[in-house]
Amino acid sequence: MSGPNLLLLLLFISCYNVVVLFFQVDATFEFDDDSKNNNNSGVWFEMFHMHSPKLKSQSKFLGPPKSRLDGTRQLLQSDNARRQMISSLRHGTRRKAFEVSHTAQIPIHSGADSGQSQYFVSIRIGTPRPQKFILVTDTGSDLTWMNCEYWCKSCPKPNPHPGRVFRANDSSSFRTIPCSSDDCKIELQDYFSLTECPNPNAPCLFDYRYLNGPRAIGVFANETVTVGLNDHKKIRLFDVLIGCTESFNETNGFPDGVMGLGYRKHSLALRLAEIFGNKFSYCLVDHLSSSNHKNFLSFGDIPEMKLPKMQHTELLLGYINAFYPVNVSGISVGGSMLSISSDIWNVTGVGGMIVDSGTSLTMLAGEAYDKVVDALKPIFDKHKKVVPIELPELNNFCFEDKGFDRAAVPRLLIHFADGAIFKPPVKSYIIDVAEGIKCLGIIKADFPGSSILGNVMQQNHLWEYDLGRGKLGFGPSSCIMSNSNSKHD
């Protein structure tokens, strides 16, 4: 045996556990052709806002609204449902070791799972012929699931779905999780797995119950997910946990299902990030703009894009379920720091702020909202008050925008404990809700509870979630990329 081979053998013997672990990780994905040797630096998706014309053909509930006022109303309805969900999670109502009864109502772990989110991507699932779906993307959801049909004796009876359906029996890589397994009994409790087990090999069932009535029933399985690389080749992820939802009695929201981007073990974001530098990014353009610039979601390096000057702040990972909390120290308006109790920003206590792609308008808890309103009130007092009855959440701070001077509005800044400062444009917090009408685009949230940095205020910025370093990067951006990049599906 030659020297190098002997060294390899000795390393294998002395580091047996490490080597086995490496091969297990490597075997969870596969590049097409010689992609692995072509210096692929990441995965890129185009993201579509729920009001995008490109989604009109996907669902009668998506696409351009009848009017700007109607579009704002839709976003507020979505936000209200999501705010209730986040509040229920914060107060400990996520299921633990609980078997759902036929009368129980439990809040689902993500607003996206009831269609309460605004951005969608195209993705392919299954083998040998991957099936295409349009899924909600959500940084608060950790489970990927889709409308699904799977035949087995102990499976729920399928109901008609509003969107496409994953034909599980047509996929050779679809493997249900046995109900007798520890995964079903323990690992998947947080995903509302049932203890029902008619025989050891029967699928692990789930039964999601929502506070407002809807219900999703299905089976858990491992499946292969195919996504596009930046060079237009593909990578296959094996054994991705999915929810095969066979019965769902909701009538609006998403076309096909959910893509989980939250920070938990089974999140698709974590699976992809592990392969591509342990980070992911997204860039959001103004969804009311006529610009042809694209929203995108990227894992690893961002292809052919001039990166903005980035600031970084700490991500407090693992403190609030699957969400992404940040360490805020305060808010200033017009250069003056507002007197807000530190308890409002204390993530380890009963406050804190999360960065959430699934909430549209920013929500400030308790006195943080009150102090911001007091600081901005002089701007509203200069204009004629309007009360759009369709927007009760915003009625107190809407006005006719005749003579409105955006440059005269005091700049609202969010200050982080480590010195980073987020400077959203004025149009992100004094928003257009209808022709000739503007409103304060910030909503009051209950305290104790979380404040939420919503996606409207995140627009016109690049956001990088560096999971390896526990950092959130952000910088102003128009999201312009090379024309050679098109959406991968």
Side-chain angles (χ1 to χ4, degrees):
M1 181 179 295
S2 64
N5 288 334
L6 177 61
L7 177 62
L8 178 63
L9 177 61
L10 290 174
L11 286 173
F12 180 83
I13 293 173
S14 62
C15 305
Y16 178 78
N17 291 333
V18 175
V19 172
V20 170
L21 178 60
F22 172 79
F23 283 129
Q24 288 178 333
V25 172
D26 193 55
T28 61
F29 66 91
E30 175 183 86
F31 291 92
D32 268 355
D33 304 318
D34 59 348
S35 295
K36 191 171 183 180
N37 300 318
N38 284 346
N39 297 317
N40 286 291
S41 55
V43 170
W44 182 85
F45 299 89
E46 181 176 358
M47 290 201 299
F48 304 99
H49 190 269
M50 65 181 293
H51 292 157
S52 169
K54 295 181 180 179
L55 289 181
K56 186 175 182 179
S57 62
Q58 306 295 333
S59 169
K60 64 181 180 179
F61 302 105
L62 301 173
K66 296 177 182 178
S67 65
R68 181 166 292 186
L69 187 63
D70 187 56
T72 304
R73 180 186 56 78
Q74 291 174 11
L75 296 181
L76 286 171
Q77 288 177 341
S78 172
D79 281 357
N80 287 336
R82 192 168 181 82
R83 177 176 55 190
Q84 294 175 18
M85 175 274 301
I86 293 173
S87 176
S88 66
L89 290 182
R90 189 65 189 265
H91 289 88
T93 55
R94 186 179 179 113
R95 176 188 171 193
K96 270 289 186 184
F98 182 83
E99 180 171 9
V100 178
S101 70
H102 290 293
T103 59
Q105 288 193 350
I106 304 171
I108 186 64
H109 68 281
S110 168
D113 292 310
S114 57
Q116 309 301 339
S117 193
Q118 285 93 33
Y119 289 94
F120 300 79
V121 296
S122 174
I123 195 170
R124 293 183 182 271
I125 300 171
T127 53
R129 295 181 178 178
Q131 302 170 44
K132 179 181 176 181
F133 299 94
I134 304 295
L135 303 182
V136 170
T137 60
D138 180 26
T139 50
S141 176
D142 43 345
L143 178 67
T144 295
W145 68 270
M146 74 290 299
N147 295 331
C148 179
E149 287 184 1
Y150 175 65
W151 184 89
C152 77
K153 292 182 180 180
S154 57
C155 292
K157 183 179 179 180
N159 283 349
H161 291 285
R164 279 173 289 260
V165 176
F166 178 64
R167 313 285 181 184
N169 292 101
D170 292 341
S171 174
S172 61
S173 53
F174 185 85
R175 298 285 184 272
T176 58
I177 306 293
C179 62
S180 59
S181 66
D182 287 343
D183 282 345
C184 182
K185 294 189 227 180
I186 301 173
E187 182 76 18
L188 298 178
Q189 286 179 358
D190 278 351
Y191 300 94
F192 305 91
S193 61
L194 300 182
T195 58
E196 178 182 338
C197 195
N199 66 75
N201 294 320
C204 180
L205 303 180
F206 61 76
D207 189 341
Y208 294 159
R209 303 293 179 94
Y210 301 83
L211 284 175
N212 58 347
R215 178 184 182 188
I217 305 170
V219 302
F220 287 110
N222 286 321
E223 184 52 287
T224 296
V225 174
T226 302
V227 295
L229 299 170
N230 294 338
D231 63 358
H232 303 285
K233 295 183 180 179
K234 291 179 172 60
I235 182 173
R236 287 181 292 274
L237 300 177
F238 305 125
D239 295 327
V240 175
L241 178 72
I242 64 167
C244 173
T245 300
E246 299 194 82
S247 178
F248 188 69
N249 65 339
E250 178 61 279
T251 59
N252 59 9
F254 60 86
D256 304 330
V258 177
M259 179 179 178
L261 299 178
Y263 186 77
R264 294 192 75 146
K265 177 180 178 180
H266 295 295
S267 164
L268 187 57
L270 265 64
R271 285 290 304 271
L272 283 168
E274 286 174 355
I275 302 169
F276 299 106
N278 216 14
K279 61 185 178 181
F280 70 93
S281 308
Y282 58 74
C283 195
L284 307 178
V285 299
D286 184 348
H287 77 279
L288 294 176
S289 170
S290 59
S291 168
N292 291 323
H293 299 168
K294 298 177 180 179
N295 306 298
F296 68 81
L297 168 67
S298 182
F299 292 85
D301 294 337
I302 301 171
E304 301 183 38
M305 177 182 179
K306 183 179 180 181
L307 297 180
K309 183 178 180 180
M310 303 285 282
Q311 297 186 72
H312 294 85
T313 190
E314 181 182 9
L315 279 173
L316 302 175
L317 298 172
Y319 281 93
I320 304 180
N321 297 289
F323 289 100
Y324 294 93
V326 286
N327 194 2
V328 172
S329 61
I331 292 178
S332 67
V333 176
S336 299
M337 288 295 295
L338 305 181
S339 178
I340 300 172
S341 169
S342 60
D343 291 341
I344 294 288
W345 312 121
N346 187 1
V347 172
T348 61
V350 293
M353 175 178 280
I354 64 176
V355 182
D356 183 30
S357 68
T359 302
S360 55
L361 298 189
T362 290
M363 301 182 184
L364 296 178
E367 67 175 88
Y369 174 85
D370 297 335
K371 296 295 177 64
V372 167
V373 165
D374 287 344
L376 293 175
K377 192 172 184 297
I379 294 297
F380 299 101
D381 290 343
K382 292 180 180 179
H383 301 273
K384 183 178 179 180
K385 184 177 180 179
V386 177
V387 182
I389 59 174
E390 299 90 342
L391 309 175
E393 299 88 349
L394 304 180
N395 277 349
N396 291 329
F397 301 102
C398 295
F399 59 92
E400 290 184 359
D401 64 4
K402 184 178 181 180
F404 175 73
D405 181 6
R406 186 175 292 166
V409 178
R411 291 299 298 271
L412 182 151
L413 309 181
I414 298 176
H415 300 254
F416 297 99
D418 43 19
I421 301 175
F422 174 50
K423 304 175 182 180
V426 171
K427 67 176 182 177
S428 292
Y429 54 94
I430 306 294
I431 62 173
D432 295 314
V433 301
E435 188 67 31
I437 299 177
K438 285 182 167 58
C439 297
L440 175 65
I442 300 174
I443 297 175
K444 186 170 186 175
D446 294 333
F447 185 79
S450 300
S451 296
I452 303 170
L453 182 60
N455 62 52
V456 170
M457 199 170 280
Q458 294 177 51
Q459 290 173 1
N460 300 117
H461 280 74
L462 173 68
W463 299 85
E464 179 187 74
Y465 293 71
D466 190 330
L467 307 181
R469 296 192 303 149
K471 295 287 185 181
L472 175 69
F474 56 90
S477 176
S478 59
C479 308
I480 298 177
M481 301 178 67
S482 167
N483 290 331
S484 64
N485 287 293
S486 58
K487 69 184 177 71
H488 295 290
D489 58 6

